[in-house]
Amino acid sequence: MNAIISASELASELAGERPPVLLDVRWQLSVAKAGGAPAFDGRAEYAAGHLPGAVYVDLDTELAGHAGPGEGRHPLPELSAFGVAMRSAGVSANRDVVVYDGGQGWAAARAWWLLRWTGHPSVRVLDGGLAAWDGPLETATPTPTPEPGTFDPAPGATGLLDADAAAALARSGLLLDARAAERYRGDVEPIDRVGGHIPGAVSAPTTENVGDDGRFRPAAELAERFKSLGANGDPGQVGVYCGSGVSAAHEILALAVAGIDARLYVGSWSQWSADETRPVATGPDPQ
């Protein structure tokens, strides 16, 4: 099963007898406006125009749990709440799902990773997101309301890293840091307590996995990139983290396109850097 789908392929499948369930997961990491209002409102973007039949899913409340002390900004959601959200959106294990966002791909990848990790067998991300779609849009909430799905999430036995496992993988395998290079080096840190990276982690900005149009680079090109960073094909030897477990999911999606399995450190730098007992490396080198 491919991890991504092109806009033309999606249009063809939507015209078929059993179209996939569409999830709209538009989201941006942004600072709140004065008064506490969000600088980006994904639900308003959805209302202004979305793929026909798509259901909006909110990343902060449905694809993440409450950010308690020491958990990072986007911890895993409670499985029961995640299951309710997915079933309400019409998700069932026996029906294909396609996820998209505004084009950056991070939020869609988070939904893709969560569904795959909890056992859904057929989830793809629209390559290039809404920006790649040249078909019609609708502004109304899907009518009739999607028939409730039957998906029952069950977490996978592998695919997840905690802080200790991430630290160990940085020494024994390959831990990729998906953030911008300047944050990895510690030159700037606009969000978290301190800048830098997990000792031993390798800088691999997720923005370098896509072209100027926001679509993924060819699989062979991605495979070569990750090979040059140290991915040698050994199972279980690649992990990824970012700021809070969102853009890292996009890197894991890119790795999947390249045919490489990887694990996600969900807490990521927001969790690691909040713990003053954890070591911090700075500069361009892993150590």
Side-chain angles (χ1 to χ4, degrees):
M1 187 71 189
N2 291 333
I4 57 176
I5 183 171
S6 69
S8 59
E9 290 171 330
L10 178 58
S12 178
E13 292 193 11
L14 290 175
E17 294 183 359
R18 190 168 173 79
V21 172
L22 287 177
L23 304 182
D24 182 314
V25 198
R26 274 177 276 182
W27 171 89
Q28 287 183 11
L29 176 62
S30 54
V31 178
K33 297 178 181 177
F40 178 84
D41 188 341
R43 194 173 295 279
E45 295 288 326
Y46 168 84
H50 53 267
L51 269 63
V55 177
Y56 181 72
V57 175
D58 184 73
L59 185 146
D60 288 319
T61 61
E62 296 177 309
L63 303 181
H66 177 69
E71 291 187 308
R73 283 190 302 279
H74 289 105
L76 293 176
E78 292 290 337
L79 281 181
S80 58
F82 177 62
V84 168
M86 292 299 98
R87 290 190 293 273
S88 296
V91 174
S92 296
N94 63 354
R95 187 172 176 188
D96 294 350
V97 176
V98 172
V99 191
Y100 72 90
D101 57 25
Q104 188 179 40
W106 296 2
R110 171 76 175 214
W112 168 85
W113 181 86
L114 268 172
L115 282 166
R116 292 291 292 157
W117 181 67
T118 55
H120 199 288
S122 178
V123 190
R124 290 166 291 172
V125 170
L126 174 59
D127 194 15
L130 187 64
W133 179 259
D134 58 4
L137 298 177
E138 67 180 17
T139 57
T141 299
T143 304
T145 301
E147 180 180 345
T150 59
F151 181 64
D152 186 16
T158 61
L160 196 62
L161 297 170
D162 61 13
D164 290 338
L169 189 60
R171 297 189 299 267
S172 64
L174 176 65
L175 182 65
L176 298 176
D177 185 319
R179 298 172 301 157
E182 59 268 26
R183 290 185 70 191
Y184 171 89
R185 294 191 302 265
D187 299 345
V188 298
E189 183 42 66
I191 305 171
D192 294 309
R193 183 185 67 84
V194 64
H197 58 269
I198 296 173
V202 174
S203 180
T206 196
T207 52
E208 297 180 15
N209 294 322
V210 299
D212 294 338
D213 58 1
R215 303 181 195 185
F216 281 104
R217 299 185 185 280
E221 191 173 322
L222 289 172
E224 186 59 34
R225 181 195 184 209
F226 292 122
K227 181 180 179 181
S228 73
L229 292 170
N232 58 18
D234 290 345
Q237 291 303 300
V238 179
V240 188
Y241 75 96
C242 57
S244 66
V246 177
S247 66
H250 189 267
E251 185 115 298
I252 289 177
L253 177 58
L255 284 154
V257 172
I260 301 169
D261 289 330
R263 292 181 283 169
L264 175 66
Y265 172 26
V266 174
S268 285
W269 189 248
S270 59
Q271 181 186 53
W272 183 279
S273 63
D275 184 348
E276 296 184 12
T277 69
R278 296 283 179 186
V280 172
T282 58
D285 297 325
Q287 302 296 341

